Amino acid sequence: MKKNYLAYPYILWLFAFILIPLFLVLFYSVSSKDSSMLTLDNYKRFFDPIYIQVFVRSVNLSLIATLICLVIGYPVAWIIANMEPAKRNFWVLLFVVPMWMNFLLRTYAWMTILENTGIINTLLEKFGFQSLNLIYNSQAVVLGMVYNFLPFMVFPIYSILVKIDKNLLEAAQDLGADKKSVFMKVIFPLSLPGVLSGAIMTFMPAVSTFAISRLLGGGKVTLIGNVIEQQFLLVNDWYFGSALSIIMMGFILIFVYILRKVEKDDEERSIF
Amino acid sequence: MENIVELKNINKYFDEDQILKDVSFEVEKNEFLTLLGPSGCGKTTTLRIIAGFETQTSGDLLFSGEIINNLPPHKRKLNTVFQSYALFPHLDVGENIAFGLRIKKIKEEVITEKVNKALEIVNLKGLERRKISQLSGGQQQRVAIARALVNEPEVLLLDEPLGALDLKLRKEMQTELKKLQKEIGITFIYVTHDQEEALTMSDKIIVMNQGIIQQIGTPVDIYNEPSNVFVADFIGEGNIFSGTMLDDFILGFSGKIFDCVDKGFSKNEEVDIVVRPEDVKLREVSEKTKIKGVVTSVIFKGVHYEMNVSTDDFQWMVHSTKLYENGQEVSVEIDPESFHVMKKAE
C-alpha cells in the first residue's frame, strides 16, 4: 500500500487548486453583495435577453468555427496520415510550431493583417481597389478561432487515421469496395472518435474565448467570455461572473455528454 | 481440368531485392493448392499478387485464361481471408459478412438470407449482432471465412488463416476448412509455413524458398519424393546425407553398397539421399550388419520412440515403436524403396 503515498501530492493539488476554487466559484454564484442569504438571482440575471443574445452568439460563432476547422482539418489530417513516416513528422511539426508561439502574439499578428491600415488593405489600395472592412466583425472572430484552434482538430483526427489497420483497407478492397467506398464505409466511420474529440477540443476553447473576440472583434463582437471577464475585472461583480462561469461549465459538460452519446450510439448501430 | 489461375514467369522486386524469381504455376478449378515455405520465401507476396494488393515487376497473371495484371483488387473475382482476419471493428458480425454484398447493392432480403446461410456454414448462427471484440479468436476466424465466402468467389485466398489459433483449434479448423472446400466446391489457394497443415489439407503443394519454387506436387509426392535437400528437410524430419549413384538401382555411401529403386542418374553421380526416420529399421547386430551404430539418446514421443543412433560418420534419427536402450549397439537397416535419391543442388 506504500504506493498510495505517491498520490498524496496530487490529491493535495486537487483540493487546493481545483476543488476548493470550484467550490468558491459555486459559492460566489449563489451569493450576493447585499445579503448573506444564498440566492439564485445571479442565475436569473443570465436570462436577460442581452446575455442570452451574447450566449447564443458565442455558441453560434464557435460552432461555425468548429465546422470550418473540421472541413479544413480532416483533409489535412488525411493528407499527413498518408505520407511516409519521415515526411509526416515534418508536417506535424509545421502544425505544432506556431502553437509554441504566444497565443496573443498570433492573434495580434492577424490584427496587423486585417486592420484598415493593415497588410491586405494597404495592398488593395496600392492596386487601386477599395479598402475592405476586414476586422472588428464576427467573421474576423471566427477566423481567429479557426486559426488558433485548427491544430486541436487536426491532431485527434490524424492520430486516429494513422492508427487505422491497413489490412482493413485491403479487406474492404478485396470485398469489392472502390476508393470512395473504402473511405465512406471504413475509414470515415473508424475516424469518427477523432472527429468528435477534435470537435470538443475546438469548440471548448472557442466558446469561452475572450481574447480573440476582444482583439479581432474590437468590442463589437462580445462573447460570453468577455462578459465574464468584465464582471470580474471591470464591474467587480464576482457573483454574477461566477454564475456565468458555472453556466458555461454546465453547458460544455452537456455538449460533451451529447457528443459522447452520439459516438456510443454510432458504435452500436451500423453505419449503413 | 480447367486452369482458373495461372502465373507465368512472375518476378517481383522490392527496391533492389528480388522477392520472387520466375514463379510459374497453374491452379485448377476446385483445387486446394497450398503455397508452403519458411517465412520470407515469397509465398505471401505471391498470394498478394494474385489478390491484386501487389503488382508483379514482370510476368503475367491469368484468371480464367484472361490476363489481369493491372486489374485492381476490387474488380477481381476472388476473396481473401487475411492472416490478421482484418474484420471491421465498427461493424457487427452480420454487417462484416454483409459488407461485400452491400457494396454490390444487393437487395436487403437476399443479403439477410445469404448472411444467414454463411453464418450457418461456419457454425456461427445467432451471433450476427455480436461485436467483433466480443468474439474469440476461433470465432473471428470463422467470421473472416464467412465474409469471404458469402460473395461466392471463384477462388478463395487464405493467408495463414490458422496461424493465430492454438493447436487443438487449428486441427479442428483444418478438417473443417477441407470439408468446406469440398462441399462448396471452390478453389482454395492457401498459404502456410506449417508442413503438416499443408500435407493434411492440400490437393497440390508448391514448396517455395527464397522466391523460387522448389517443387510442385501432391502431398504424397512431396513427402516421398522430395526433389531436393531443401524440400526433404522442410517437409518432415529426415536423415539427409550425400552418396553416389554407382549405377541404376545401386547406391553407395559410407563406403558401402546398397540396393535402391532409383535410376536415371549418370554413373557415379554425386547425389543427396533422404531417409525418413520411420523408414530406418533397427535390429540386433549380426554378421549381415552393414551399418553399425550406438543408440545415443531416446525420447518417448507417445506413438513412437525417437532415437538417435551414432555411426562412424553420421547421426541417424530413428522413429520406432520398438525401444532400444541408450548405449546399445544396433544394426541400422534401410529397405531399398526407403532411399529417396535427389540430384545435388547446383
Side-chain angles (χ1 to χ4, degrees):
Chain A
M1 292 291 105
K2 256 187 197 164
K3 273 184 188 158
N4 282 349
Y5 290 114
L6 292 175
Y8 286 0
Y10 174 69
I11 290 171
L12 205 69
W13 176 277
L14 187 77
F15 271 95
F17 297 108
I18 299 174
L19 285 181
I20 293 174
L22 195 64
F23 182 76
L24 282 176
V25 172
L26 198 64
F27 179 74
Y28 265 100
S29 76
V30 290
S31 310
S32 74
K33 247 192 297 221
D34 316 320
S35 80
S36 55
M37 295 286 283
L38 296 185
T39 168
L40 287 175
D41 284 351
N42 297 318
Y43 287 94
K44 281 186 199 140
R45 255 180 87 191
F46 171 74
F47 292 97
D48 186 314
I50 298 173
Y51 298 120
I52 291 288
Q53 205 189 343
V54 171
F55 176 77
V56 169
R57 184 188 301 134
S58 299
V59 173
N60 231 340
L61 296 186
S62 310
L63 281 180
I64 292 171
T66 305
L67 203 70
I68 295 175
C69 280
L70 177 63
V71 171
I72 300 174
Y74 198 105
V76 169
W78 172 249
I79 290 166
I80 300 178
N82 280 306
M83 288 176 177
E84 292 164 36
K87 273 193 190 167
R88 246 188 242 161
N89 293 336
F90 172 74
W91 280 92
V92 167
L93 201 70
L94 273 192
F95 262 82
V96 174
V97 167
M99 292 174 71
W100 293 345
M101 204 161 345
N102 186 281
F103 171 82
L104 286 175
L105 199 67
R106 275 180 281 151
T107 311
Y108 272 118
W110 272 109
M111 286 177 76
T112 63
I113 296 172
L114 301 176
E115 268 168 350
N116 288 344
T117 54
I119 296 171
I120 294 179
N121 279 326
T122 311
L123 281 176
L124 282 177
E125 276 166 26
K126 217 171 201 170
F127 291 102
F129 293 100
Q130 268 225 303
S131 69
L132 297 169
N133 207 359
L134 296 172
I135 199 165
Y136 307 140
N137 53 31
S138 39
Q139 286 90 327
V141 174
V142 169
L143 176 77
M145 288 175 174
V146 171
Y147 177 74
N148 278 306
F149 306 132
L150 182 63
F152 298 132
M153 181 64 88
V154 173
F155 291 130
I157 298 176
Y158 162 79
S159 64
I160 292 248
L161 286 178
V162 285
K163 272 188 286 180
I164 291 179
D165 183 1
K166 296 283 172 291
N167 277 317
L168 294 178
L169 313 186
E170 286 189 351
Q173 282 179 289
D174 187 75
L175 294 164
D178 55 16
K179 281 203 172 113
K180 194 176 144 237
S181 308
V182 172
F183 182 81
M184 293 307 292
K185 299 199 165 187
V186 182
I187 297 169
F188 187 69
L190 284 176
S191 69
L192 270 184
V195 171
L196 287 173
S197 44
I200 292 170
M201 304 253 292
T202 317
F203 180 78
M204 279 199 311
V207 80
S208 55
T209 185
F210 60 89
I212 295 174
S213 45
R214 173 125 57 83
L215 297 180
L216 297 176
K220 285 182 188 158
V221 187
T222 309
L223 299 186
I224 201 80
N226 302 95
V227 175
I228 295 175
E229 188 204 11
Q230 283 160 13
Q231 299 309 313
F232 280 96
L233 301 181
L234 239 66
V235 190
N236 236 334
D237 187 349
W238 287 29
Y239 310 99
F240 184 46
S242 299
L244 286 177
S245 300
I246 295 287
I247 289 169
M248 278 319 285
M249 216 172 85
F251 173 74
I252 289 174
L253 277 175
I254 291 168
F255 177 78
V256 171
Y257 176 78
I258 290 171
L259 276 188
R260 290 279 169 227
K261 187 100 180 142
V262 169
E263 184 191 355
K264 282 240 173 64
D265 284 353
D266 233 73
E267 251 172 41
E268 274 151 31
R269 220 174 342 109
S270 80
I271 48 139
F272 294 106
Chain B
M1 278 297 250
E2 194 187 330
N3 290 332
I4 183 139
V5 175
E6 245 175 287
L7 280 77
K8 286 187 176 163
N9 303 93
I10 298 277
N11 285 285
K12 174 71 183 172
Y13 290 84
F14 284 129
D15 298 324
E16 296 293 297
D17 296 333
Q18 189 164 12
I19 306 297
L20 296 177
K21 291 173 194 157
D22 267 327
V23 169
S24 300
F25 61 85
E26 294 99 43
V27 189
E28 286 173 13
K29 229 176 176 151
N30 300 341
E31 191 170 41
F32 194 125
L33 175 104
T34 299
L35 295 168
L36 175 66
S39 58
C41 72
K43 56 190 191 301
T44 296
T45 305
T46 309
L47 199 76
R48 289 174 60 81
I49 286 174
I50 299 173
F53 302 132
E54 305 279 357
T55 310
Q56 64 272 30
T57 313
S58 69
D60 285 328
L61 173 66
L62 283 80
F63 193 90
S64 299
E66 272 174 61
I67 293 182
I68 56 159
N69 291 349
N70 295 313
L71 200 65
H74 68 270
K75 290 191 177 152
R76 300 194 180 189
K77 287 180 215 151
L78 36 80
N79 287 112
T80 309
V81 176
F82 293 83
Q83 185 170 11
S84 56
Y85 312 147
L87 299 173
F88 303 119
H90 59 297
L91 303 177
D92 62 20
V93 170
E95 286 305 322
N96 259 281
I97 298 173
F99 192 92
L101 302 174
R102 294 211 189 271
I103 297 275
K104 288 187 206 112
K105 303 223 169 11
I106 287 168
K107 268 198 232 144
E108 193 59 37
E109 310 92 76
V110 184
I111 290 181
T112 314
E113 191 186 312
K114 285 192 175 191
V115 168
N116 282 334
K117 207 176 137 210
L119 281 164
E120 206 171 317
I121 289 175
V122 296
N123 285 325
L124 285 179
K125 255 195 135 185
L127 296 188
E128 56 263 55
R129 294 281 83 88
R130 281 281 179 90
K131 283 186 181 182
I132 296 305
S133 54
Q134 295 169 334
L135 300 181
S136 71
Q139 287 171 326
Q140 292 190 9
Q141 170 64 64
R142 286 160 197 268
V143 176
I145 292 168
R147 185 179 68 176
L149 284 180
V150 78
N151 302 293
E152 292 159 21
E154 291 181 47
V155 176
L156 189 65
L157 308 177
L158 303 103
D159 185 6
E160 309 228 13
L162 309 181
L165 305 180
D166 63 58
L167 185 67
K168 191 162 172 288
L169 199 55
R170 194 154 73 218
K171 297 265 184 212
E172 275 173 33
M173 285 302 287
Q174 283 175 11
T175 328
E176 263 182 65
L177 268 182
K178 181 69 193 167
K179 208 176 109 208
L180 195 67
Q181 188 258 342
K182 276 198 178 142
E183 276 172 9
I184 52 179
I186 59 173
T187 313
F188 273 37
I189 302 180
Y190 193 97
V191 161
T192 183
H193 64 267
D194 182 334
Q195 41 100 2
E196 201 187 321
E197 195 165 286
L199 293 174
T200 324
M201 303 170 80
S202 322
D203 297 320
K204 190 158 90 185
I205 297 177
I206 296 177
V207 185
M208 294 182 72
N209 187 33
Q210 295 180 337
I212 300 170
I213 291 182
Q214 303 292 321
Q215 189 170 4
I216 303 181
T218 64
V220 176
D221 283 347
I222 300 261
Y223 189 81
N224 285 341
E225 301 295 336
S227 64
N228 60 37
V229 175
F230 175 82
V231 178
D233 195 32
F234 194 73
I235 305 284
E237 292 161 308
N239 298 291
I240 302 169
F241 48 92
S242 297
T244 313
M245 278 307 276
L246 299 171
D247 207 336
D248 283 354
F249 311 117
I250 300 171
L251 179 65
F253 66 89
S254 292
K256 308 259 165 46
I257 292 168
F258 298 83
D259 290 334
C260 70
V261 294
D262 296 85
K263 57 171 183 163
F265 294 89
S266 43
K267 262 194 186 169
N268 295 322
E269 184 176 340
E270 292 285 315
V271 289
D272 286 317
I273 303 155
V274 58
V275 179
R276 296 290 175 197
E278 62 273 21
D279 290 337
V280 181
K281 305 273 187 300
L282 297 183
R283 298 220 166 75
E284 305 286 334
V285 179
S286 69
E287 64 272 20
K288 280 194 284 183
T289 298
K290 279 190 193 168
I291 311 172
K292 199 155 69 173
V294 179
V295 179
T296 54
S297 76
V298 180
I299 300 165
F300 179 61
K301 286 275 189 179
V303 184
H304 58 257
Y305 293 97
E306 184 179 300
M307 289 170 279
N308 277 315
V309 176
S310 274
T311 60
D312 295 339
D313 52 1
F314 196 67
Q315 177 101 1
W316 292 88
M317 186 196 273
V318 185
H319 290 172
S320 166
T321 50
K322 186 156 186 237
L323 173 66
Y324 288 85
E325 297 292 340
N326 208 346
Q328 192 174 346
E329 256 199 355
V330 288
S331 167
V332 176
E333 293 175 21
I334 295 146
D335 294 336
E337 61 273 17
S338 295
F339 289 111
H340 305 302
V341 179
M342 306 165 296
K343 278 198 182 299
K344 278 264 187 211
E346 278 132 40

